[in-house]
Amino acid sequence: MTDSEKKVRVRFAPSPTGRLHIGGARTAIFNWAYARAKGGDFILRIEDTDPERSTEENVQVILNAMKWLGLDWDEGPEVGGPFGPYRQMQRTDTYAAALEQLKASGGAYPCFCTKEQLDEKRAAAEASEGGYAGYDRTCRDLDPAEAAQRIEAGEPHVWRLRVPDDRGPIEFDDAVYGRMSFPADVMDDMILVRSDGSPTYNFAVVCDDANMAITHVIRGDDHLSNTPRQILIYEALGRPVPTFAHLSMILGADGKKLSKRHGATSVEEYRDRGYLSDAVVNFLALLGWSLDGETTIIDREKLCASFDLDRITKKDAVFDETKLDWMNGVYIREMGPKAFEAAAKPWIEQAGATEAWFSAHPDWASKAYPLLAERLTRLDEVPEKLAFLFWGGDVFQLDEKSVSKVLTKDGARADEVLAAARAIIADEENAWECESLQEKVRGLCDTLELKPKMVFQPVRVAVCGNMVSPPLFESFELMERADVVARIDSVLAGVFGK
């Protein structure tokens, strides 16, 4: 079977040492989309070999972030699969078996050099003209019998890879960077297994990828320097080398590597700030990849049908949060009332809504969504925009700036306007319907000989607390008539003493 005929198998292998970083999320999206586009398998593997930082809580944090992003995995935790287990700490037998294979073939040898000895040699080499060139292979040609005897005696040792002396340049075709070549003579005999028996990263990841039949390794370019080392391990084990695709860095707007100084960096932070998962996936997919160089709104279906490695660029991607805000706004405007209600409910509750309120207003979403959709970039903006709905009657907040600019400004005649508007709003013969109420209040422009702004703004401030709110009379329909009247009465009494 040729490489092109093999079923695509890709993996995302996070370390559960904290939250899922945006950079890791992009890597996961690229792997997931490529598997879906090629009809392949997307594997989630947990690299939990750091016992101090790899916790079960952190594993759940990563799984929850993946679920929120909608990146379903075909094999991995909670799913299982034929190549499990999918946690490195449960795969130690596979690393031991691989080491035994390398021992038998002569591909690995024991090294008894202590850390102190290696540090001394490094210091001496760095002080010399040639500089440090890696491990000097002191133990490479030890007599096998002597080595076995020292191991039997319990002398601490590591196991190193025996890099072939006659190995030419290590070359491979990276799906992003093209033809890559590394001289083998600068590759020292790296440690495969530490003195405590634990595998090093490069050894474990090669064993896992080989045993899981991974065909494509799509990862950040910070791993590019690991690739020639890993190829040597594949060759020593006699296993096929996968296709590598290394992704460029994600930079902040200042051109530096994305970090906490640029703001939120984890998936959970963006979720909690009110971004939609569809928007985040769309945005991250475009950090280093494009459909055609022009299209910016790409839904999951299109992404999974069109994603390919040849559209990934080597150019570093810039995380532009302004663009993410715009994109999130597009998705909010396209999601519809029902989806909005489900997604925004935590923030609506934060604004003051209770289950009783939801029950009493079953059609609130169909009315509120059109008022809000055009005015939102993130769902965490909902509480500020909707809080006035839940103040009740005479318990509410007036923005001081709005009071001075609209209600108490010389010549505003706001008290006259509010008194006249109250009469219209309180009259139960007037239907509690936005268009009818708006037209009747607009009639005050002629009656009081005032411009529309001088009529509508005082009512807006009195009812909503400030000069900025969703459309006023449409908002009335989401409120009780008695509450609206009570607020106007409170302003007339509190501001004007009437």
Side-chain angles (χ1 to χ4, degrees), residues 50-81:
D50 184 339
E52 294 184 1
R53 300 174 61 203
S54 298
T55 65
E56 185 58 34
E57 180 182 0
N58 284 338
V59 171
Q60 291 305 316
V61 165
I62 288 174
L63 297 185
N64 289 338
M66 293 286 288
K67 291 174 185 176
W68 181 78
L69 288 169
L71 307 182
D72 55 316
W73 54 95
D74 303 297
E75 299 174 26
E78 301 183 355
V79 175

Side-chain angles (χ1 to χ4, degrees), residues 98-248:
L99 179 61
E100 290 303 315
Q101 177 187 336
L102 293 177
K103 290 180 186 178
S105 67
Y109 64 90
C111 172
F112 301 92
C113 297
T114 66
K115 182 180 184 301
E116 291 73 21
Q117 290 172 331
L118 294 174
D119 286 345
E120 288 179 9
K121 290 180 180 181
R122 176 188 290 269
E126 289 177 346
S128 67
E129 186 176 340
Y132 180 67
Y135 175 62
D136 63 3
R137 299 180 171 180
T138 297
C139 299
R140 180 174 169 121
D141 296 317
L142 279 178
D143 178 72
E146 177 191 346
Q149 186 178 22
R150 293 171 70 173
I151 292 173
E152 183 67 25
E155 186 174 346
H157 61 283
V158 300
W159 286 92
R160 292 182 179 273
L161 179 72
R162 188 187 299 273
V163 178
D165 288 323
D166 57 351
R167 179 64 165 84
I170 304 166
E171 298 181 331
F172 62 96
D173 292 313
D174 189 279
V176 177
Y177 284 84
R179 190 67 174 173
M180 305 295 292
S181 180
F182 296 82
D185 56 9
V186 301
M187 299 293 165
D188 62 0
D189 290 356
M190 76 196 86
I191 297 174
L192 301 175
V193 176
R194 304 181 185 92
S195 58
D196 63 0
S198 63
T200 58
Y201 167 77
N202 280 322
F203 187 48
V205 77
V206 168
C207 291
D208 289 342
D209 286 344
N211 291 331
M212 292 182 179
I214 299 301
T215 60
H216 296 73
V217 175
I218 306 170
R219 60 189 181 185
D221 64 4
D222 53 326
H223 286 288
L224 189 57
S225 61
N226 285 325
T227 304
R229 301 176 186 278
Q230 292 174 5
I231 288 175
L232 291 173
I233 299 174
Y234 278 109
E235 292 175 350
L237 290 171
R239 305 299 290 270
V241 178
T243 297
F244 291 96
H246 289 93
L247 312 178
S248 62

